[in-house]
Amino acid sequence: MLTSINPYNGEKIEKFKVHSKSDVTKKLKKADKTFQDWKHVSFDRKKELMLNLADELKTNKKDYATAITKEMGKPITQAIAEIEKCAWVCEYYAENAQDQLQKDHIETDAEESYVRYDPLGVILAVMPWNYPFWQVFRFIAPAIMAGNVGVLKHASNVMRCAENIEQAILNAGFPEGCFQNLIISSKKVEQVIRDKRVKAVTLTGSKPAGSSVASIAGEEIKKSVLELGGSNALVVFEDANITETVKTCVQARFQNTGQSCIAGKRLIVQESIYEQFLEEFITQVRELKSGDPMDEDTYIGVLAREDLAIELEEQLEKSKKKGAKVVLGGKRNKAYFEPTIVINVDKKSPIFKEETFGPLIAVTSFNSDMEAIDLVNRSVFGLGVSIFTEDYERAKALIPQFEDGAVFVNDLVKSDPRLPFGGTKESGYGRELSSHGIKEFLNRKTVYINKYE
């Protein structure tokens, strides 16, 4: 059995019976059978169902959001925003998928030549708990609009969310087998990847999980897309709008209680404004309200599990031994971790070089543009970077020098259905969202037609 536990109060919420090997086999058979029909369904019908799904999410957003909050502790207002974003990605692909997947005609010696995009079949998604609806929807909306079907192995602590997603898709009118939740442990993922009916896999998670999944998929010669986290930098130049930049940086680090791959985890401020910026930053972080995640005024909840808070505490303690100084927060109580600001951070300390998954930010300074670039790029991750400056020519000159998958100027890094999302280095490979993401799990088929005289 898998048990969902409320991380705020420790209450057991619900138990779920794990699927047996035969259960999984039946579900994969159903998925494959559904695909044989689904791939021929018209875009108009898919669009209708996808818009139904968006309506289902918006109509019942409070119920779906409550499940998120109870299972992993996300503050309720942020959980509702997550559901609304899922509705947006459904609407985006409902309106755009058909155009994105039109044939690409190419001029050659042939009478006619083009590239067409055909679905692969059953796609496995292995997803994390931190955005338990959004991570799934940014995969499944483009996948099923492209004619694929999906099966999900979700994080064990958000199984009610996983079940709710499957039910929402059924409520929207999609055929059974178009999307199914597999209630299995991580140890059972390998058998699913190796199943001949599964054609590809996408994973959002840790480096060890991604490495394992990619290795298995590689042995089977199956496509994989990996999003493996990050240690994004927030780079503040001396000409930045300090008031607006502080506000953005607070949100970038502390939304979802800091449990985000794309959170700004390293704050890098130009020396000439360092003291002024830090003072205002501390003031705004101190004002963030901690408390019951079901309270609409709560901005900082608890971490999804107590062991995650303990791990963050250990990273902080090791960094303190290297000279890091806590200027705000730093204390833990079970799964709750105070909003924490740390200065004097050594570049080799855990909170600078590792991913910190919680409400803690490492602060350092720089003098020159080249020093800032070096601090950003020395990370083993490459998901995204935010730079703050009023000099847009400077920004444009800096952008090509960052190794990350995304550069945001005067804004926090975020995923947007209209833009490709993904990283470099240990942040993974492949892209989700936009026209790039929908084509990841398709057969780009070259067609060359000649006519004999």
Side-chain angles (χ1 to χ4, degrees):
M1 301 289 286
L2 298 180
T3 303
S4 287
I5 299 174
N6 186 323
Y8 178 69
N9 56 29
E11 292 181 357
K12 293 182 179 179
I13 303 170
E14 193 173 355
K15 290 186 176 181
F16 301 87
K17 184 180 178 182
V18 175
H19 289 142
S20 66
K21 185 175 182 178
S22 63
D23 291 334
V24 172
T25 298
K26 288 176 184 177
K27 287 181 175 293
L28 294 178
K29 284 182 178 178
K30 177 184 280 190
D32 188 53
K33 185 174 185 298
T34 301
F35 169 67
Q36 302 309 322
D37 295 325
W38 180 249
K39 65 183 178 180
H40 298 299
V41 172
S42 69
F43 275 111
D44 285 344
R45 177 57 177 161
K46 290 174 188 167
K47 176 179 178 178
E48 178 186 1
L49 294 174
M50 193 59 70
L51 292 176
N52 287 349
L53 181 53
D55 289 341
E56 164 72 20
L57 293 170
K58 289 187 286 189
T59 300
N60 299 292
K61 62 184 178 182
K62 184 65 181 290
D63 291 339
Y64 291 135
T66 297
I68 294 175
T69 299
K70 287 184 175 180
E71 283 199 309
M72 57 72 62
K74 187 191 299 286
I76 187 64
T77 54
Q78 297 175 38
I80 290 172
E82 179 175 340
I83 300 300
E84 292 171 341
K85 191 170 184 178
C86 293
W88 178 26
V89 79
C90 291
E91 292 167 343
Y92 172 79
Y93 279 110
E95 299 296 342
N96 292 284
Q98 184 171 5
D99 288 340
Q100 291 169 342
L101 299 180
Q102 289 296 306
K103 299 172 184 174
D104 288 335
H105 288 271
I106 299 169
E107 195 74 28
T108 68
D109 296 335
E111 188 75 22
E112 184 179 7
S113 50
Y114 56 86
V115 178
R116 59 173 290 129
Y117 300 96
D118 293 339
L120 296 180
V122 182
I123 313 299
L124 168 65
V126 182
M127 292 292 150
W129 46 262
N130 60 328
Y131 286 87
F133 267 67
W134 171 244
Q135 306 278 18
V136 177
F137 271 88
R138 75 183 189 193
F139 150 71
I140 199 59
I144 59 180
M145 280 301 296
N148 294 304
V149 300
V151 292
L152 170 69
K153 190 287 173 197
H154 218 325
S156 299
N157 60 327
V158 289
M159 204 48 64
R160 170 43 54 198
C161 290
E163 291 285 274
N164 284 351
I165 292 169
E166 179 174 350
Q167 191 57 55
I169 290 171
L170 290 172
N171 290 348
F174 286 92
E176 289 189 13
C178 212
F179 177 85
Q180 296 174 90
N181 178 43
L182 305 179
I183 306 177
I184 58 174
S185 68
S186 297
K187 294 178 181 177
K188 301 297 182 182
V189 169
E190 180 173 351
Q191 80 174 66
V192 180
I193 297 174
R194 293 192 188 279
D195 190 286
K196 64 184 180 188
R197 288 166 285 252
V198 173
K199 304 303 181 186
V201 58
T202 180
L203 175 140
T204 298
S206 67
K207 178 187 173 183
S211 179
S212 175
V213 163
S215 177
I216 297 164
E219 287 181 12
E220 299 294 327
I221 318 298
K222 295 180 180 181
K223 177 73 177 286
S224 62
V225 168
L226 305 178
E227 197 271 271
L228 305 179
S231 185
N232 289 8
L234 302 164
V235 186
V236 184
F237 291 91
E238 58 188 356
D239 64 341
N241 181 320
I242 291 181
T243 300
E244 291 302 318
T245 299
V246 168
K247 189 187 308 181
T248 300
C249 288
V250 170
Q251 181 186 3
R253 183 59 189 115
F254 294 100
Q255 66 176 342
N256 199 27
T257 317
Q259 299 170 111
S260 174
C261 302
I262 54 174
K265 301 179 176 82
R266 299 177 294 146
L267 178 57
I268 303 171
V269 185
Q270 194 147 23
E271 183 65 39
S272 58
I273 61 165
Y274 179 83
E275 295 297 337
Q276 178 189 359
F277 189 91
L278 182 62
E279 181 180 357
E280 192 165 335
F281 187 74
I282 292 172
T283 298
Q284 289 198 23
V285 174
R286 187 180 282 120
E287 293 172 353
L288 297 176
K289 184 181 184 298
S290 297
D292 185 344
M294 286 301 298
D295 185 338
E296 291 187 358
D297 293 328
T298 294
Y299 193 86
I300 300 292
V302 291
L303 273 66
R305 301 189 311 268
E306 186 174 351
D307 64 290
L308 298 167
I310 292 172
E311 181 180 348
L312 185 62
E313 185 178 45
E314 291 173 347
Q315 289 175 301
L316 175 58
E317 290 305 313
K318 290 177 182 177
S319 298
K320 286 164 65 176
K321 290 179 181 178
K322 289 184 174 290
K325 178 183 177 182
V326 176
V327 293
L328 184 70
K331 294 184 176 63
R332 177 185 70 84
N333 181 14
K334 296 182 178 178
Y336 172 71
F337 201 99
E338 292 179 325
T340 300
I341 300 173
V342 188
I343 63 172
N344 298 343
V345 179
D346 184 272
K347 311 309 182 293
K348 295 182 180 179
S349 65
I351 62 171
F352 192 85
K353 71 177 186 177
E354 298 174 4
E355 180 171 30
T356 49
F357 223 66
L360 179 152
I361 190 162
V363 187
T364 190
S365 62
F366 70 94
N367 285 300
S368 67
D369 289 9
M370 292 308 298
E371 186 180 359
I373 293 166
D374 176 66
L375 287 170
V376 172
N377 289 342
R378 71 169 54 202
S379 174
V380 298
F381 299 101
L383 193 52
V385 55
S386 292
I387 60 175
F388 299 88
T389 177
E390 296 295 292
D391 185 342
Y392 300 110
E393 291 306 313
R394 173 196 228 171
K396 290 176 183 178
L398 287 169
I399 287 169
Q401 300 182 67
F402 295 119
E403 298 168 354
D404 296 65
V407 179
F408 279 61
V409 180
N410 295 330
D411 209 340
L412 67 161
V413 175
K414 52 195 169 185
S415 53
D416 182 318
R418 299 163 294 188
L419 296 169
F421 178 81
T424 62
K425 300 190 283 188
E426 289 187 17
S427 287
Y429 53 75
R431 292 296 180 264
E432 297 178 288
L433 301 175
S434 77
S435 60
H436 296 269
I438 198 172
K439 292 175 181 175
E440 285 284 7
F441 298 118
L442 293 172
N443 175 15
R444 295 170 173 83
K445 184 179 291 180
T446 295
V447 179
Y448 189 98
I449 302 172
N450 248 339
K451 293 180 180 179
Y452 290 120
E453 293 294 337

